[in-house]
Amino acid sequence: MNPGALHKISYGLYIVTSQKGGRFNGQIANTVFQISNAPPTVAVSINKQNLTHEFIRESKVFVVSVLVQEAPLSLIGQFGFKSGREVDKFAGVRYKLAPGGVPYISGPTLAYLEARVLQEVDAGTHTIFIGEITAAEVLQEGTPLTYAYYQQVKRGGVPKTAPLSTPKEERKMQMDKYVCNVCGYVYDPLLGDPENDIPLDTPFEKLPADWVCPVCGAGKDEFTKEG
Ligand code: FE
């Protein structure tokens, strides 16, 4: 078996949220898809170890926030590389409540869908929750974020914000890229880290000592020079 074949499957990137006893949690998920039209149903696949899994089981409600392509890496890191058992993932995040009382991300979001769980399918490490849509709104127009696009951005392949002049080969030679050992984010000095006010052309060595990985929050000492 060539596991690379699995990487040829394309996905979106979503934040799936739920609540338990008035406490909110959510996580990044790429496995969200519509099942049927009448009634309108969607399925999400959630790891059994995740706090969101516990919350969905308990409340029987989940909400899917469909992220826009320009969603900040820090938001994906907040919901994808941290655990709701240790941090409040909603701290500093703009959200609103869907009619059922579960939050959706209200900033870089194209649409949200709220669903009530009809059925759970045990899939080993994961549970597939099939839910009937109970509310849904389009919040803005734009291009939905895909998993492939996220991977490109994370590896410094797509400039996130400021349009970039053609990098000079000589500059490229002088400045090394550094890879986060925790999440795989690649710091590219040519791109800097505009979300955190690090301008283009900032070498890794010149980053402030308190700079952290924009995706997962790991410190500079968790980075390795790219081979
Ligand atoms: Fe990281």
Side-chain angles (χ1 to χ4, degrees), residues 68-92:
V68 67
Q69 186 169 275
E70 294 77 20
L73 284 177
S74 55
L75 180 72
I76 296 164
Q78 175 94 341
F79 281 89
F81 288 93
K82 291 178 181 164
S83 169
R85 293 192 178 90
E86 282 144 29
V87 298
D88 173 10
K89 293 195 185 182
F90 286 88

Side-chain angles (χ1 to χ4, degrees), residues 126-178:
H126 289 62
T127 298
I128 300 166
F129 294 101
I130 299 172
E132 178 170 355
I133 295 176
T134 46
E137 294 295 342
V138 174
L139 306 171
Q140 59 175 313
E141 294 301 330
T143 305
L145 178 62
T146 63
Y147 187 71
Y149 184 86
Y150 164 69
Q151 285 293 335
Q152 268 181 296
V153 169
K154 204 171 75 156
R155 293 183 196 295
V158 180
K160 272 291 284 176
T161 45
L164 193 63
S165 58
T166 311
K168 292 199 178 80
E169 280 309 309
E170 54 204 68
R171 285 195 290 130
K172 207 183 244 178
M173 298 294 283
Q174 286 163 2
M175 295 195 288
D176 295 305
K177 292 182 181 182
Y178 278 75

Side-chain angles (χ1 to χ4, degrees), residues 81 180-185 213-218 223:
F81 288 93
C180 174
N181 299 333
V182 178
C183 75
Y185 166 83
C213 173
V215 177
C216 75
F223 279 72

